Amino acid sequence: MAGSGRRPEHRGPPELFYDEAEARKYTQNSRVVEIQSQMSERAVELLGLPEDRPCLLLDVGCGSGLSGDYISNEGHYWIGMDISPAMLDVAVEREVEGDLLLADVGHGIPFRPGMFDGCISISAVQWLCNADKKSHSPPKRLYRFFSTLYTALARGSRAVLQLYPKNSEQLELITAQAMRAGFTGGMVVDYPNSAKAKKFFLCLFVGASGTLPKGLGTECADGEEIRQAKFTNERTRFRNAKGKSVKKSRDWILEKKERRRRQGKEVRADTKYTGRKRRPCF
């Protein structure tokens, strides 16, 4: 269940989909590497790790170790699990700093109780919703994964799982099994009004329930926060309370300019005229 940094196309089980050619393509694609790094950074941020000591993290669906690179750069230690031998072979060739384990997380997390200070996963958990074999039951595999993950995490820690749910039913199935296993928490949605930048992070708490972090870009054009992000199967245009499209609004333009600045691109300075609708020409 390697994290690819993009919405995966479910063509067969992940251990076959992520073959040697696919594994190398992901690692050599600069855009995929950049997206993977950004999502890993966001996932680690949502973990809320202590700043005064290094932590041991579990990377579920570690793939070729792109997420692990960010974890190592932040001064933490990690163990990665993945079902794809080809992805792990690339990780070994890259000489990543974390330890690697070839395993199907649908069979459970095989580590002692309370071992990890946190867990991240990029683009992997939705694979457990597939019944790739006759013996596979998605609800049972998800519950096995979440229940053993809950045990392997230290009390008071978090798991942040970035995923691409296929539809609202799949999203409900995943969250229901997580809560059944004992987790509290919920879904953090970054940039819910953007078709391309929208990302789902399932933020789970072990033990005492914490405050769910706010998603990035969760302000409407009128400045009010979006308290819930509704998932829908249909691609619709997001609109504010007045029926006008949020796209092209001042907030939308400012967020887009800020993203471009972070990418190192030259962007015009913000002024009071930014996002202001032009008068019609005579």
Side-chain angles (χ1 to χ4, degrees), residues 10-163:
H10 299 295
R11 298 196 298 266
E15 63 270 29
L16 299 180
F17 175 74
Y18 292 105
D19 56 15
E20 183 176 350
E22 195 76 6
R24 295 189 183 282
K25 181 175 72 174
Y26 283 151
T27 308
Q28 295 170 359
N29 188 313
S30 59
R31 180 175 178 274
V32 169
V33 172
E34 180 183 3
I35 294 174
Q36 185 85 1
S37 179
Q38 290 174 354
M39 292 194 295
S40 301
E41 180 179 359
R42 178 61 171 152
V44 173
E45 176 188 350
L46 291 172
L47 283 179
L49 299 173
E51 299 179 358
D52 57 344
R53 63 179 177 85
C55 296
L56 176 62
L57 305 180
L58 175 65
D59 185 358
V60 172
C62 64
S64 56
L66 297 177
S67 300
D69 288 343
Y70 178 79
I71 295 174
S72 297
N73 291 337
E74 289 296 296
H76 300 298
Y77 304 99
W78 60 279
I79 296 176
M81 296 178 63
D82 204 282
I83 198 173
S84 168
M87 280 289 198
L88 294 179
D89 286 343
V90 174
V92 172
E93 290 179 11
R94 295 180 61 246
E95 298 182 346
V96 297
E97 296 185 22
D99 293 324
L100 305 171
L101 175 64
L102 177 65
D104 179 358
V105 297
H107 294 161
I109 305 298
F111 295 101
R112 60 180 175 80
M115 180 171 175
F116 296 99
D117 300 304
C119 169
I120 70 166
S121 179
I122 308 297
S123 314
V125 175
Q126 70 275 346
W127 286 99
L128 291 174
C129 296
N130 295 350
D132 296 315
K133 300 178 181 178
K134 289 184 178 180
S135 60
H136 282 182
S137 167
K140 290 182 180 179
R141 285 169 58 77
L142 282 164
Y143 178 71
R144 179 66 178 168
F145 164 64
F146 282 119
S147 60
T148 52
L149 175 62
Y150 186 92
T151 301
L153 290 170
R155 303 303 91 170
S157 63
R158 300 181 185 181
V160 177
L161 316 174
Q162 183 273 327
L163 57 133

Side-chain angles (χ1 to χ4, degrees), residues 201-214:
F201 293 88
L202 183 58
C203 189
L204 303 173
F205 304 106
V206 181
S209 179
T211 302
L212 197 65
K214 295 180 180 179

Side-chain angles (χ1 to χ4, degrees), residues 189-219:
V189 185
D190 284 352
Y191 304 107
N193 294 334
S194 171
K196 293 183 178 179
K198 186 177 183 179
K199 291 292 183 294
F200 291 86
F201 293 88
L202 183 58
C203 189
L204 303 173
F205 304 106
V206 181
S209 179
T211 302
L212 197 65
K214 295 180 180 179
L216 301 178
T218 54
E219 286 192 359

Side-chain angles (χ1 to χ4, degrees), residues 206-277:
V206 181
S209 179
T211 302
L212 197 65
K214 295 180 180 179
L216 301 178
T218 54
E219 286 192 359
C220 299
D222 57 3
E224 293 183 359
E225 293 183 0
I226 300 173
R227 300 196 177 276
Q228 290 183 338
K230 183 180 179 182
F231 187 87
T232 175
N233 296 329
E234 302 176 358
R235 295 188 64 182
T236 58
R237 294 180 64 85
F238 289 87
R239 299 178 181 273
N240 60 20
K242 296 180 180 179
K244 297 181 180 179
S245 175
V246 173
K247 190 173 182 180
K248 304 296 183 182
S249 67
R250 177 179 171 83
D251 287 343
W252 183 87
I253 292 172
L254 291 175
E255 287 177 6
K256 185 175 182 180
K257 291 174 71 174
E258 184 60 31
R259 288 199 302 271
R260 290 183 176 273
R261 290 191 184 98
R262 290 199 297 266
Q263 294 169 358
K265 298 180 180 179
E266 186 175 346
V267 181
R268 289 185 179 181
D270 301 333
T271 69
K272 64 180 181 179
Y273 300 105
T274 301
R276 180 177 293 185
K277 189 175 181 180

